[in-house]
Amino acid sequence: MRTHRILQVALAAAACIACGAAEAATTYRVIEPPLLWPPDTTSGSSSAAINKHGVIGALVWSQLGGSVGYRCDKFNCEYIPPLYIPHWPFASVGGMNDAGVVAGTSADIANTTHAYYFDGVSSHAIGGLPDDYCGGCANDSYGNDVNNQGQVVGSAFGVDGRERAFVWSASTGVQELGTLGGGRSVATAINDRGDLVGYGSTAADTTHAFIIHRGKMRDLGHLGGDWAQAYALNEARQVVGCSKLAGGEVTQAFSYVGGVMTALPSLGGSYACASGVNGNGQVVGVATTSSGEQRGFLVEGSAVFDLNELLVERHRANWTITAASAISDKGLIAATGVNRVYGTTRALILKPREATAAR
């Protein structure tokens, strides 16, 4: 399962910077799934989600316009049909559960976007907000994540133009989740216990991260800059995302545990955002370095690592990892990287290889 508006996070943002005592790190092999659509016009691909089996949810976009989703392991990729299939369709992948059910966003014949889920056979549109807002939904909606119970979270626009977070299941339909006092909310991720995270506007028109536990929405606050968004959580309700610091010029990744939001170490640049966390507390995301380069990162304990520094040598020569979107409990990472030989952007799987001493 995966967070969030992953395209906002993964594509927004070299040395390994260790904070605190040296800790064990892992080296990674790069696996490139056989992902090309269509072969003669593919512009690139990116990863959005990963499940416990190491299957990633990926997005492929065309030079001629449009995008489609895939489920991929190291050997095969399966096309996810969009809700409407013109010559160049639009669809994205938001999250995926362990059974391979995918949640995402797809355009219909009227070019209106809808949240959808793919059950392995076909894609199904998810209805809109209750009647007092959308009444069946000719308005845009977005699917961001799905858990192992089949619950999908996302956001939808009502007829009043306001965006609202929702959770959907086959048994309950769409349920609106409310806001933090302002006019907007977005649900980005859900765990198997039904806890949800996201972000929303407050009565003061600032943006704060939130968690919903047992039906109650809690404001997680921010790191000083009155803007924070949560993108992922694990079963222990550790929440990760990013927040602006005081002054608004620096965006920092955070981890929220036990009622406390803590800034995570950065790669030295002015931007870092966490987009995935596993059951072991490992955090991944995208950050900039002190020289302004965009890189995928891994946080283990009190240490942060540029993922490029953790690649085995032969793969480090061929790839630059620019983002990491999700991490499984086994440490498999859904990543996006640029091939240094061909200059192409590709969805990748990073597979842990062996423990090595951190520098």
Side-chain angles (χ1 to χ4, degrees):
M1 288 154 291
R2 243 284 312 119
T3 68
H4 59 103
R5 298 198 176 176
I6 190 68
L7 291 180
Q8 286 181 258
V9 180
L11 300 178
C16 164
I17 300 174
C19 298
E23 303 183 20
T26 302
T27 58
Y28 290 85
R29 294 191 299 112
V30 177
I31 298 172
E32 182 183 6
L35 187 59
L36 291 174
W37 175 89
D40 57 339
T41 61
T42 297
S43 175
S45 60
S46 60
S47 66
I50 195 164
N51 66 18
K52 72 176 184 180
H53 305 294
V55 178
I56 63 168
L59 179 70
V60 178
W61 58 93
S62 167
Q63 295 174 356
L64 304 180
S67 60
V68 291
Y70 279 85
R71 300 187 304 193
C72 296
D73 59 24
K74 63 187 295 185
F75 300 112
N76 300 288
C77 287
E78 179 185 7
Y79 173 66
I80 300 172
L83 297 176
Y84 171 62
I85 308 178
H87 189 54
W88 299 114
F90 164 75
S92 69
V93 173
M96 178 174 57
N97 67 19
D98 292 335
V101 175
V102 172
T105 305
S106 179
D108 64 13
I109 192 171
N111 204 32
T112 299
T113 59
H114 293 281
Y116 77 89
Y117 70 94
F118 173 66
D119 58 12
V121 178
S122 57
S123 297
H124 307 270
I126 292 174
L129 296 173
D131 288 345
D132 57 333
Y133 283 101
C134 196
C137 250
N139 297 324
D140 290 327
S141 62
Y142 306 94
N144 294 327
D145 197 19
V146 58
N147 66 10
N148 285 326
Q149 280 65 53
Q151 295 174 292
V152 175
V153 295
S155 64
F157 284 87
V159 293
D160 58 1
R162 296 187 296 175
E163 188 176 16
R164 291 289 195 277
F166 72 80
V167 58
W168 172 94
S169 72
S171 59
T172 64
V174 171
Q175 296 177 294
E176 187 180 337
L177 297 174
T179 73
L180 291 171
R184 183 191 184 211
S185 61
V186 175
T188 56
I190 183 169
N191 67 16
D192 289 340
R193 296 181 177 183
D195 303 309
L196 306 97
V197 297
Y199 55 91
S201 58
T202 67
D205 201 28
T206 58
T207 298
H208 289 194
F210 67 72
I211 185 171
I212 297 177
H213 174 57
R214 295 180 179 175
K216 295 183 179 180
M217 181 180 289
R218 176 186 297 177
D219 187 337
L220 302 186
H222 51 80
L223 292 174
D226 257 359
W227 179 95
Q229 298 185 347
Y231 288 107
L233 79 166
N234 59 22
E235 298 307 307
R237 296 195 296 278
Q238 177 184 357
V239 182
V240 299
C242 51
S243 171
K244 288 189 179 298
L245 303 184
E249 296 181 359
V250 176
T251 298
Q252 194 83 4
F254 72 75
S255 173
Y256 182 95
V257 180
V260 179
M261 180 181 288
T262 304
L264 295 174
S266 74
L267 294 180
S270 61
Y271 180 87
C273 197
S275 52
V277 58
N278 66 11
N280 303 313
Q282 293 175 298
V283 179
V284 296
V286 60
T288 55
T289 66
S290 57
S291 58
E293 298 171 303
Q294 180 178 311
R295 297 290 185 262
F297 71 80
L298 167 70
V299 174
E300 290 186 334
S302 60
V304 60
F305 303 91
D306 182 331
L307 281 169
N308 294 277
E309 293 296 314
L310 302 182
L311 299 183
V312 296
E313 187 173 352
R314 68 182 185 278
H315 291 165
R316 193 186 309 176
N318 294 328
W319 293 97
T320 299
I321 306 303
T322 56
S325 54
I327 183 168
S328 74
D329 287 349
K330 293 182 179 180
L332 293 159
I333 298 174
T336 301
V338 176
N339 186 288
R340 293 188 176 185
V341 178
Y342 301 104
T344 52
T345 300
R346 291 287 182 261
L348 304 171
I349 302 168
L350 302 187
K351 184 177 181 179
R353 186 179 182 189
E354 59 189 15
T356 184
R359 300 171 191 174

